[in-house]
Amino acid sequence: MKHLLLILFALVSILFTGCGGGGSSDNNSTANGNKVVRIMPLGDSITYDYANAYYDSNGRMLVPIGKRTGYRAFLAYDLNDAGVKYDFVGSRRAGYDVKPPFDPDNEGYPGWTSWDIANHVYEFLVKNPADVILLHIGTNDRAGGRVDGTEKILNEIKRYEKDSHRHIKVFVALIINRLFWDRTIEKYNNNLKAMLERRNDPEIYIVDMSHLLNHDDYLEDYHPNKKGYKKMADKWFIALMDSGVFN
């Protein structure tokens, strides 16, 4: 009788376990059902962290790729401290040797313009689908403040959303200016803000970094130093948390 009761108890336990925890399996979910938010850092060298100052006069690399983090490492630390679930995505990796370690995946391309990004963003998303895009682009554009290329990026993201039946929240930066103030970038930011407001898209968020950095936040004319990148990371972090993407 004792053995029979043990067998019956085991069968009941198996049946009870099989009935629990409804819902389908999802590779983008954690064990407790909380979604892992896939974040694509997208842009030029300010995203990748590829400054001219990282090379000497003979072209020798002073800072290896494994040490280049941009704002991404600081943002990862902010997100870790907040306890949210996320995954940086992209086909490039930079910063994989820093301590504390962080996810080095990104789509940052030194020297690229908004048009360069626009011509490739669809394929980036096909290879690495994202829930969120952090877009800082326009520094390398030389078109008198025009935002056609950036608008094409947004159109290509929308095309991907339609084809893939996915929804992406795009955080678009009004970009940082340079150490030596550039009126072209100021004009670009004004035109960018006007274009974004005209689109009035609830899945697009404006993140104003145009006056974020001070004179001592730059490594050289184009790129922030670590202090400047930390400010950028904190700005992205606040925008992400305020948007509710992790809820």
Side-chain angles (χ1 to χ4, degrees):
M1 178 64 71
K2 182 177 180 180
H3 292 299
L4 180 60
L5 288 173
L6 288 173
I7 292 170
L8 288 172
F9 179 79
L11 289 172
V12 170
S13 298
I14 292 170
L15 289 171
F16 180 81
T17 302
C19 292
S24 61
S25 175
D26 185 351
N27 291 333
N28 245 22
S29 299
T30 61
N32 62 8
N34 295 327
K35 182 180 180 182
V36 177
V37 178
R38 295 168 59 87
I39 301 173
M40 177 180 288
L42 178 64
D44 49 36
S45 59
I46 292 173
T47 296
Y48 187 77
D49 189 2
Y50 191 101
N52 293 334
Y54 289 169
Y55 291 84
D56 65 17
S57 59
N58 296 316
R60 290 177 297 188
M61 187 183 297
L62 298 177
V63 179
I65 293 170
K67 295 290 187 180
R68 299 181 188 177
T69 65
Y71 65 75
R72 296 172 290 106
F74 293 116
L75 176 57
Y77 303 151
D78 285 345
L79 294 172
N80 292 342
D81 289 343
V84 297
K85 304 297 183 182
Y86 70 95
D87 177 20
F88 286 165
V89 299
S91 60
R92 310 202 79 193
R93 303 179 77 246
Y96 41 79
D97 288 330
V98 303
K99 303 295 182 183
F102 77 105
D103 186 343
D105 298 336
N106 70 93
E107 294 290 3
Y109 292 85
W112 279 30
T113 68
S114 57
W115 284 102
D116 294 322
I117 295 292
N119 291 335
H120 292 86
V121 66
Y122 189 99
E123 67 186 73
F124 292 162
L125 289 167
V126 169
K127 294 176 181 177
N128 292 286
D131 304 304
V132 168
I133 290 175
L134 305 181
L135 178 64
H136 188 287
I137 194 65
T139 303
N140 297 311
D141 290 33
R142 295 290 189 274
R146 293 180 60 177
V147 296
D148 310 54
T150 306
E151 186 157 29
K152 185 182 178 185
I153 293 172
L154 299 177
N155 291 340
E156 286 296 287
I157 293 171
K158 286 298 177 184
R159 182 167 73 92
Y160 169 79
E161 287 183 288
K162 182 179 179 180
D163 292 347
S164 65
H165 306 290
R166 298 179 67 96
H167 291 281
I168 303 173
K169 295 185 182 297
V170 186
F171 293 76
V172 182
L174 303 185
I175 65 175
I176 62 171
N177 212 293
R178 296 175 182 169
L179 175 62
F180 301 103
W181 195 261
D182 188 327
R183 292 190 180 277
T184 301
I185 291 181
E186 184 176 18
K187 184 177 181 181
Y188 170 84
N189 279 329
N190 290 337
N191 292 341
L192 177 60
K193 183 177 181 182
M195 180 267 285
L196 295 173
E197 289 176 346
R198 184 173 65 252
R199 290 178 75 103
N200 193 30
D201 188 331
E203 292 187 327
I204 294 178
Y205 300 79
I206 300 174
V207 184
D208 189 353
M209 298 193 185
S210 59
H211 294 86
L212 181 66
L213 305 188
N214 299 318
H215 204 75
D216 60 350
D217 294 326
Y218 289 87
L219 181 64
E220 26 79 352
D221 189 27
Y222 296 88
H223 301 86
N225 55 26
K226 295 299 182 184
K227 180 182 173 185
Y229 274 132
K230 179 65 168 67
K231 287 184 177 182
M232 290 184 68
D234 292 346
K235 192 77 172 180
W236 285 128
F237 174 73
I238 291 169
L240 286 168
M241 298 305 291
D242 286 350
S243 73
V245 296
F246 299 106
N247 296 340

